[in-house]
Amino acid sequence: MIETKNINFYYGSFQALKNISMKMDANTVTAFIGPSGCGKSTFLRLFNRMNDLIDDTKLEGECLIKGKDIYDKSINIDALRKDVGMVFQKPNPFPKSVFENVAYGLKVNGITDKKFIANRVEETLKAAALFDEVKDKLNKSAFELSGGQQQRLCIARALAIEPSIILMDEPASALDPISTSKIEELIHQLKKKYTIVIVTHNMQQAARVSDKTGFFMLGELIEYNDTKKMFLNPDNETTQNYITGRFG
Amino acid sequence: MNKKTKQKLAFLLFRLFSIIIVGILLSILGFIAFNGIKVINWEFLSTMPKEGMTEGGIFPAIVGTCYLIIGSLIFAVPLGVMSAIYTVEYAGNGKIVRFIRMMTNNLASIPSIVFGLFGMALFVTKLGFGDSILAGSLTLGLLTLPIIIRTSEEALKAVPESYRTGSYALGASKLQTIRKVVLPCAMPNILTGIILSVSRVSGETAPILFTVAAYFLPNLPDSIFSQAMALPYHLYVLATSGTDIEASRHMAYGTALVLVVIVLFFNLTATILRQRLSRKLKNK
């Protein structure tokens, strides 16, 4: 599904990613872990070209999604972002109603059929395990929801446009434990239909939700392995030290 | 003198000065209100001036000021808001943008009489609009552009970046993001700027002096190429160059009161709007 070849990435003269090659399969959850500033979020944002919004950056290497180089000149960035959804660290619903938040992605992608939109909004709110909680508040401002509900609304918003990949950048780091477990449950559900890549600070979370885990440090991919193996018996000593909490 | 007495004395002074300032403001307003209220009635607001402006009303001046407000907004709002969108959303923070911003700030500090002269040279003479509502509106529009640009820029900058990235991440283009997320969110603050510029437009005399304002017109303006009367200029006429200044004095106070009420009304609206918005943002 996603494949990178020898990725180097620079912020100005600072090299944030060093020669990273990895492959992520369809319908799996891949977690990126590592200490702050290790480049895992930067790497994640390559897949929907969010780094394009930052000035003075440089990319080397290839980043393929479904076999196509997404940094090729022929790629339509808006279409790419429609196919590769993203959920951010802090819930960022628009200052609009719950309904409009989910409908937004459909509308900007040219869908005008009101009935279709209404159906899809309900479907995706259900898929994001939020519908029962908000069905009486669809026309209320999204800011009236709790933080956890807002984050699930943002997930619903991303699901509405039927992406094939969902990127999650520490989606639960601003949430309480109960909301976090709801999000994790949701990730389990979503795996059946979507390919998910999640950046997390929380190693237990990586262990709980992911099939494969990549451990990053100082811009390098130290180890990439099955999550079980990674947490029980990692190949690399640095990984072992990090996971057992000897540093980080 | 010990510390405590010093402090008491200082505070006393501060208090005294602020009371003086409020007193001055209130006495100006009170003076105008007291003298003006006597002539304010329906006839004053709705009829033409009569008897060499010593009788009758100020209706054409009110109408003229309304036309100038609308005309200047039609010109300045789209131009100002769009240029703010350009500098904030598109242009980044390069040399050109900093130059534009510097020029905008300079534009704001040019005396209004200079705008009047410029308007006369460009719109009245060069472009051949003559003394007209069009020329006056364009001149007033130029005057308010910096206000609208600055407040719109601030309004756009206040929109959280996370709304924009959230929108891009759903496949929205930059234009869609601006139109559907950024602008609606910035609108209350932009409106505040627009209302402030309205209060500026309704009170300015110098820019309309050479471009639109008429001493007296027997009829209401019938096109954008007509001259018009306007409240601030009418006040100036009544106070300095009427046929019988003493006899039209009461009319001048009435006009001043109407003008002050209009300006206060717009300022109050802007203040309320801004407070509502900040309350809304705090609720988040």
Side-chain angles (χ1 to χ4, degrees), chain A residues 48 50 53 78-79 81-82 84-86 88 92-96 101 104-105 107-110 143 157-158 161, chain B residues 92-93 161-174 176-181 184-185 280 283-284:
Chain A
N48 64 345
M50 261 334 191
L53 301 174
D78 298 339
R81 289 183 183 148
K82 182 182 174 297
V84 184
M86 187 167 209
F88 297 84
N92 62 343
F94 302 124
K96 298 173 185 282
N101 261 282
Y104 181 83
K107 288 181 179 171
V108 296
N109 284 292
F143 293 137
R157 188 172 73 178
I161 46 177
Chain B
N93 202 15
E161 201 54 38
S162 66
Y163 294 174
R164 296 186 182 88
T165 44
S167 174
Y168 295 143
L170 291 166
S173 68
K174 193 157 195 168
Q176 285 175 322
T177 301
I178 290 169
R179 230 178 37 160
K180 299 190 172 188
V181 176
C185 187
K280 222 176 168 184
N283 275 347
K284 231 182 273 176

XYZ file of all heavy atoms in Angstrom, chain A residues 48 50 53 78-79 81-82 84-86 88 92-96 101 104-105 107-110 143 157-158 161, chain B residues 92-93 161-174 176-181 184-185 280 283-284:
422
model
N 0.553 12.336 2.975
C -0.501 13.140 2.343
C 0.033 14.530 1.986
O -0.719 15.468 1.811
C -1.753 13.237 3.223
C -1.505 13.961 4.518
O -0.361 14.174 4.912
N -2.577 14.391 5.169
N 1.459 16.801 3.617
C 1.206 17.912 4.518
C 2.468 18.752 4.702
O 2.394 19.946 5.000
C 0.745 17.398 5.887
C -0.747 17.423 6.135
S -1.621 18.654 5.203
C -3.197 18.674 5.915
N 3.167 22.225 3.094
C 2.687 23.511 3.625
C 3.775 24.255 4.381
O 3.622 25.414 4.720
C 1.493 23.277 4.567
C 0.279 22.572 3.957
C -0.755 22.267 5.023
C -0.327 23.437 2.865
N -4.846 17.552 -4.051
C -6.166 17.481 -3.414
C -6.737 16.066 -3.506
O -7.319 15.552 -2.550
C -7.135 18.483 -4.059
C -6.653 19.922 -3.871
O -5.847 20.156 -2.952
O -7.094 20.790 -4.646
N -6.553 15.442 -4.675
C -7.060 14.078 -4.848
C -6.293 13.104 -3.951
O -6.870 12.188 -3.356
C -6.932 13.662 -6.312
N -4.972 13.826 -1.059
C -5.408 14.013 0.326
C -6.812 13.470 0.557
O -7.185 13.154 1.681
C -5.334 15.492 0.699
C -3.898 15.963 0.824
C -3.814 17.394 1.254
N -2.414 17.829 1.288
C -2.026 19.054 1.029
N -2.920 19.981 0.717
N -0.750 19.368 1.083
N -7.582 13.382 -0.499
C -8.894 12.758 -0.381
C -8.726 11.257 -0.140
O -9.488 10.645 0.591
C -9.696 12.993 -1.661
C -11.096 12.416 -1.612
C -11.806 12.659 -2.933
C -13.141 11.963 -2.965
N -13.053 10.498 -2.863
N -5.930 9.858 1.154
C -5.124 9.615 2.348
C -5.590 10.587 3.435
O -5.159 11.724 3.498
C -3.622 9.835 2.046
C -2.783 9.478 3.265
C -3.200 9.014 0.848
N -6.505 10.117 4.255
C -7.086 10.987 5.285
C -6.140 11.176 6.451
O -5.177 10.440 6.620
N -6.436 12.200 7.254
C -5.545 12.446 8.390
C -6.320 12.895 9.619
O -7.260 13.670 9.525
C -4.522 13.513 8.018
C -3.460 13.704 9.093
S -2.073 14.665 8.474
C -0.750 14.018 9.478
N -5.542 14.614 13.407
C -4.449 15.370 14.023
C -4.377 15.129 15.527
O -5.274 14.562 16.137
C -4.608 16.855 13.735
C -4.530 17.174 12.272
C -5.654 17.064 11.463
C -3.332 17.558 11.694
C -5.592 17.341 10.110
C -3.260 17.839 10.343
C -4.389 17.729 9.551
N -9.482 19.024 15.851
C -9.618 20.327 15.199
C -10.883 20.417 14.357
O -10.826 20.655 13.160
C -8.382 20.640 14.344
C -8.176 19.635 13.229
O -8.737 18.546 13.260
N -7.403 19.988 12.238
N -12.051 20.209 14.990
C -13.280 20.370 14.211
C -13.399 21.809 13.730
O -12.831 22.707 14.336
C -14.386 20.036 15.211
C -13.796 20.270 16.544
C -12.329 19.964 16.402
N -14.127 21.993 12.625
C -14.368 23.349 12.134
C -15.423 24.015 13.014
O -16.251 23.334 13.613
C -14.868 23.313 10.687
C -13.934 22.634 9.739
C -14.360 21.566 8.959
C -12.616 23.040 9.634
C -13.492 20.930 8.087
C -11.744 22.410 8.764
C -12.178 21.353 7.983
N -15.430 25.336 13.060
C -16.468 26.026 13.830
C -17.808 25.971 13.098
O -18.367 26.973 12.703
C -15.940 27.460 13.937
C -15.021 27.622 12.780
C -14.463 26.279 12.479
N -18.281 24.766 12.908
C -19.542 24.525 12.208
C -20.307 23.477 13.001
O -19.814 22.955 13.989
C -19.276 23.977 10.796
C -18.508 24.897 9.862
C -18.170 24.138 8.581
C -17.303 24.963 7.638
N -18.029 25.964 6.891
N -19.525 19.476 9.781
C -18.152 19.019 9.888
C -17.907 17.756 9.068
O -16.907 17.630 8.386
C -17.798 18.744 11.353
C -17.030 19.898 11.981
O -15.844 20.045 11.741
N -17.730 20.723 12.729
N -18.468 18.400 5.233
C -17.525 19.313 4.581
C -16.672 18.633 3.501
O -16.582 19.103 2.373
C -16.620 19.941 5.641
C -15.617 20.919 5.089
C -15.979 22.228 4.838
C -14.310 20.530 4.800
C -15.073 23.125 4.321
C -13.395 21.425 4.278
C -13.776 22.719 4.042
O -12.869 23.605 3.522
N -16.083 17.501 3.886
C -15.206 16.800 2.944
C -15.937 16.378 1.680
O -15.377 16.399 0.583
N -18.611 17.907 0.426
C -18.946 19.105 -0.355
C -17.743 19.640 -1.120
O -17.875 20.007 -2.281
C -19.529 20.178 0.561
C -20.933 19.816 1.035
C -21.529 20.884 1.931
C -22.944 20.492 2.350
N -23.476 21.381 3.378
N -16.589 19.701 -0.464
C -15.435 20.249 -1.184
C -14.959 19.294 -2.283
O -14.209 19.693 -3.166
C -14.237 20.593 -0.266
C -14.610 21.686 0.700
C -13.723 19.373 0.458
N -15.407 18.055 -2.209
C -15.043 17.138 -3.283
C -16.159 17.010 -4.313
O -16.246 16.019 -5.049
C -14.645 15.776 -2.715
C -13.253 15.820 -2.108
O -12.274 15.973 -2.819
N -13.164 15.734 -0.792
N -17.028 17.996 -4.316
C -17.956 18.133 -5.440
C -19.271 17.387 -5.302
O -20.024 17.289 -6.270
N -18.146 22.397 18.811
C -17.410 22.745 20.027
C -18.157 22.352 21.292
O -17.601 22.390 22.377
C -17.113 24.244 20.057
C -16.160 24.667 18.980
C -16.381 25.817 18.246
C -15.044 23.900 18.699
C -15.500 26.201 17.245
C -14.160 24.274 17.703
C -14.397 25.428 16.977
N -15.089 12.639 10.061
C -14.898 13.594 8.970
C -13.939 13.024 7.927
O -14.143 13.169 6.723
C -14.322 14.874 9.588
C -14.213 16.049 8.694
C -13.819 17.257 9.505
N -12.411 17.201 9.934
C -11.816 18.168 10.627
N -12.500 19.233 10.992
N -10.556 18.071 10.966
N -12.874 12.367 8.436
C -11.899 11.783 7.514
C -12.488 10.576 6.780
O -12.198 10.347 5.603
C -10.633 11.384 8.267
N -15.096 10.788 3.281
C -14.726 10.873 1.875
C -14.085 9.569 1.374
O -13.462 9.542 0.311
C -13.772 12.058 1.612
C -12.665 12.099 2.661
C -14.547 13.374 1.622
C -11.647 13.195 2.420
N 2.673 34.794 1.825
C 3.742 34.454 2.750
C 4.231 35.690 3.481
O 3.452 36.595 3.770
N 5.535 35.747 3.749
C 6.032 36.905 4.499
C 7.278 37.478 3.842
O 8.243 37.832 4.490
C 6.300 36.503 5.949
C 6.298 37.704 6.863
O 5.823 38.771 6.467
N 6.841 37.553 8.044
N -4.602 27.978 12.675
C -3.989 27.260 11.559
C -4.566 25.845 11.435
O -4.649 25.295 10.340
C -2.472 27.209 11.801
C -1.616 26.956 10.581
C -1.885 27.932 9.438
O -2.110 29.127 9.713
O -1.882 27.491 8.284
N -5.011 25.274 12.574
C -5.490 23.889 12.545
C -6.761 23.751 11.696
O -7.027 22.677 11.175
C -5.753 23.393 13.961
O -6.818 24.109 14.550
N -7.543 24.843 11.563
C -8.707 24.774 10.676
C -8.256 24.596 9.236
O -8.844 23.841 8.467
C -9.549 26.055 10.758
C -10.219 26.308 12.084
C -10.906 27.492 12.304
C -10.172 25.371 13.114
C -11.529 27.750 13.515
C -10.783 25.626 14.328
C -11.455 26.811 14.518
O -12.057 27.064 15.708
N -7.203 25.326 8.892
C -6.724 25.250 7.505
C -6.162 23.865 7.200
O -6.553 23.241 6.222
C -5.653 26.316 7.252
C -6.166 27.731 7.367
C -5.092 28.734 6.972
N -5.574 30.111 7.125
C -5.493 30.814 8.246
N -4.937 30.274 9.314
N -5.967 32.036 8.302
N -5.281 23.367 8.088
C -4.695 22.055 7.818
C -5.777 20.985 7.807
O -5.740 20.080 6.986
C -3.614 21.690 8.859
O -4.112 22.022 10.151
C -2.340 22.446 8.619
N -6.763 21.121 8.714
C -7.866 20.164 8.738
C -8.600 20.143 7.411
O -8.972 19.087 6.912
N -8.783 21.308 6.842
C -9.484 21.403 5.573
C -8.648 20.837 4.426
O -9.142 20.056 3.602
C -9.837 22.869 5.294
O -10.384 22.998 4.013
N -7.358 21.186 4.391
C -6.494 20.645 3.335
C -6.476 19.120 3.392
O -6.480 18.443 2.376
C -5.058 21.149 3.479
C -4.890 22.632 3.289
C -3.982 23.353 4.055
C -5.630 23.315 2.330
C -3.827 24.715 3.887
C -5.490 24.677 2.153
C -4.587 25.370 2.937
O -4.431 26.713 2.774
N -6.446 18.589 4.622
C -6.322 17.143 4.796
C -7.545 16.407 4.259
O -7.511 15.207 4.065
C -6.110 16.794 6.265
N -8.632 17.139 4.033
C -9.825 16.499 3.471
C -9.895 16.695 1.963
O -10.922 16.440 1.336
C -11.081 17.088 4.119
C -11.258 16.723 5.589
C -12.302 17.601 6.242
C -11.639 15.258 5.727
N -8.803 17.172 1.383
C -8.775 17.322 -0.068
C -9.353 18.634 -0.554
O -9.628 18.781 -1.740
N -9.551 19.592 0.348
C -10.055 20.894 -0.082
C -8.905 21.706 -0.676
O -7.773 21.611 -0.209
C -10.657 21.654 1.099
N -9.208 22.480 -1.700
C -8.179 23.346 -2.268
C -8.017 24.567 -1.369
O -8.802 24.781 -0.447
C -8.576 23.786 -3.670
O -9.690 24.651 -3.571
N -7.001 25.348 -1.662
C -6.754 26.541 -0.872
C -7.937 27.511 -0.949
O -8.383 28.065 0.055
C -5.490 27.225 -1.382
C -4.989 28.272 -0.450
C -3.513 28.527 -0.679
C -2.958 29.290 0.499
N -1.530 29.365 0.528
N -11.086 26.821 -1.673
C -12.228 26.264 -0.923
C -12.032 26.472 0.564
O -12.962 26.827 1.292
C -12.369 24.768 -1.211
C -12.962 24.463 -2.572
C -12.968 22.966 -2.858
O -12.036 22.250 -2.515
N -14.016 22.500 -3.504
N -10.814 26.245 1.029
C -10.524 26.409 2.445
C -10.773 27.844 2.889
O -11.395 28.089 3.923
C -9.053 26.023 2.725
O -8.865 24.678 2.314
C -8.712 26.170 4.186
N -10.318 28.780 2.078
C -10.514 30.193 2.429
C -12.000 30.540 2.435
O -12.512 31.150 3.362
C -9.745 31.093 1.436
C -8.249 30.937 1.663
C -10.164 32.553 1.596
C -7.406 31.566 0.592
N -12.700 30.093 1.388
C -14.103 30.478 1.235
C -14.993 29.833 2.282
O -15.900 30.444 2.809
C -14.583 30.082 -0.158
C -15.278 31.213 -0.895
C -15.657 30.734 -2.246
N -16.067 29.337 -2.146
C -16.813 28.729 -3.050
N -17.207 29.374 -4.087
N -17.146 27.458 -2.912
N -14.750 28.555 2.570
C -15.708 27.828 3.405
C -15.316 27.730 4.870
O -16.154 27.448 5.710
C -15.900 26.411 2.850
C -16.436 26.457 1.447
C -16.853 25.089 0.968
C -17.558 25.242 -0.361
N -18.157 24.017 -0.829
N -14.044 27.903 5.174
C -13.635 27.783 6.574
C -13.069 29.094 7.113
O -13.527 29.619 8.122
C -12.598 26.648 6.755
C -12.114 26.599 8.193
C -13.192 25.316 6.361
N -15.642 32.541 6.774
C -16.768 32.567 7.717
C -16.302 32.777 9.150
O -16.954 33.457 9.939
C -17.393 31.174 7.563
C -16.966 30.684 6.247
C -15.645 31.311 5.963
N -15.146 32.185 9.464
C -14.635 32.278 10.824
C -14.116 33.686 11.116
O -14.227 34.178 12.241
C -13.532 31.237 10.966
S -12.907 31.068 12.592
N -17.598 34.317 22.426
C -17.786 33.066 21.702
C -16.482 32.271 21.679
O -16.463 31.068 21.880
C -18.201 33.395 20.271
C -19.312 32.516 19.723
C -19.645 33.056 18.367
C -20.492 32.217 17.514
N -20.637 32.853 16.183
N -15.688 30.635 24.972
C -16.519 29.469 25.270
C -15.903 28.169 24.759
O -16.241 27.101 25.224
C -17.900 29.631 24.629
C -18.803 30.430 25.532
O -18.471 30.639 26.694
N -19.923 30.876 25.015
N -15.033 28.308 23.783
C -14.510 27.131 23.117
C -13.823 26.163 24.049
O -12.915 26.425 24.717
C -13.546 27.558 22.019
C -13.884 26.894 20.724
C -12.884 27.288 19.674
C -13.293 28.561 18.993
N -12.271 28.973 18.035
